[in-house]
Amino acid sequence: MPSKTDNLDHPLRRFGAVPLARDVLDEALSGYRQPNDKVSEWLREGALQPLRRGLYLAGAPLRTSPACLPLIANHLYGPSCVSLDFALAWHGLIPEGVAEVTSVTPKPSRRLSNALGRFTYHHLPLPYYTVGQELGQAADGLSFLIASPAKALCDRLVLSRQLAPLSRGAMRQWLLEDLRLDPDQLGLLNLAAIRACLATGYKRRQLGTLLKVIETLQQELATEPSP
């Protein structure tokens, strides 16, 4: 016998993998005489999954695609933008997958966990935070806010507090050996985006060195003979 969450007419099915704030959920509950009791029932059945207080996701049986973790990160704590290691992996700059969804925010830093995973948010000053944001797209077509490849790398640098201002040689080592960034992907980085970060005046010494090192790497790649 099919469960209640298999019902094709279930009012939560139409939301798919989009996170639901309580006001949106209230619209879906408008036909029920006791909406709070219905929420409790859906939670017990697995038709509704809690993300944090006042934010939910339709349960897995009602979704046609997996949960979109970057989109959930945008909704869990905002304003925020997915960046740092998660964004670097998403853009293919680092070889490893990243379990924790890392974001930046102009609000205080915060760490959140729920059944879907861990989400961390690192504070950055607003003028710098707003640079280099773009829309990413999941396989199911859902869009989310994510740092561009160059901005994600800049964020990774300025938030690495154990790093003093680096020489060019040390910066090159940090990029290629410590982070194990793909040199070919570095060759494609948008230098204008790094210059825009530099123009905000935030962490100028570190970002200035990063710009010079990547300029040199791109020049070297441009002059390498074709295989």
Side-chain angles (χ1 to χ4, degrees):
M1 181 175 178
S3 69
K4 294 180 181 180
T5 55
D6 292 327
N7 185 345
L8 293 177
D9 296 326
H10 197 289
L12 295 180
R13 185 177 292 277
R14 63 189 173 95
F15 294 105
V18 177
L20 306 172
R22 183 57 199 248
D23 58 344
V24 176
L25 188 58
D26 285 342
E27 293 181 18
L29 291 162
S30 60
Y32 295 94
R33 298 177 64 180
Q34 296 179 304
N36 288 335
D37 290 348
K38 198 63 184 178
V39 169
S40 297
E41 179 186 326
W42 285 346
L43 288 169
R44 287 195 305 270
E45 293 173 352
L48 192 64
Q49 183 170 2
L51 299 176
R52 62 157 169 76
R53 183 178 178 86
L55 187 69
Y56 305 88
L57 190 69
L62 297 175
R63 301 195 306 262
T64 58
S65 60
C68 179
L69 295 182
L71 179 61
I72 289 171
N74 288 171
H75 283 260
L76 273 177
Y77 189 60
S80 65
C81 176
V82 174
S83 187
L84 305 164
D85 288 0
F86 192 94
L88 291 172
W90 181 274
H91 292 305
L93 269 77
I94 58 176
E96 298 89 358
V98 178
E100 187 169 86
V101 185
T102 50
S103 299
V104 293
T105 176
K107 295 173 66 175
S109 298
R110 192 168 182 184
R111 183 186 298 269
L112 299 169
S113 296
N114 56 39
L116 294 176
R118 299 190 308 274
F119 302 81
T120 57
Y121 301 83
H122 300 266
H123 169 76
L124 288 171
L126 183 60
Y128 173 86
Y129 161 79
T130 58
V131 174
Q133 299 179 356
E134 61 185 35
L135 286 179
Q137 193 168 71
D140 56 6
L142 290 177
S143 297
F144 51 87
L145 195 63
I146 188 170
S148 68
K151 179 56 167 21
L153 180 58
C154 290
D155 290 350
R156 183 67 168 80
L157 174 63
V158 301
L159 287 168
S160 297
R161 296 180 183 176
Q162 72 276 20
L163 294 177
L166 299 176
S167 66
R168 294 191 193 185
M171 179 69 75
R172 186 182 181 112
Q173 178 179 329
W174 179 70
L175 292 170
L176 299 178
E177 298 180 23
D178 296 352
L179 294 185
R180 296 200 297 152
L181 295 177
D182 183 334
D184 290 334
Q185 291 295 323
L186 284 175
L188 299 175
L189 278 186
N190 183 353
L191 296 182
I194 302 177
R195 294 188 184 103
C197 291
L198 189 57
T200 67
Y202 184 64
K203 302 285 186 177
R204 286 187 59 83
R205 289 181 64 188
Q206 291 95 323
L207 291 171
T209 303
L210 176 68
L211 177 61
K212 291 172 184 175
V213 169
I214 294 181
E215 283 177 336
T216 300
L217 283 168
Q218 291 189 350
Q219 290 167 3
E220 292 172 357
L221 288 168
T223 56
E224 283 183 357
S226 300

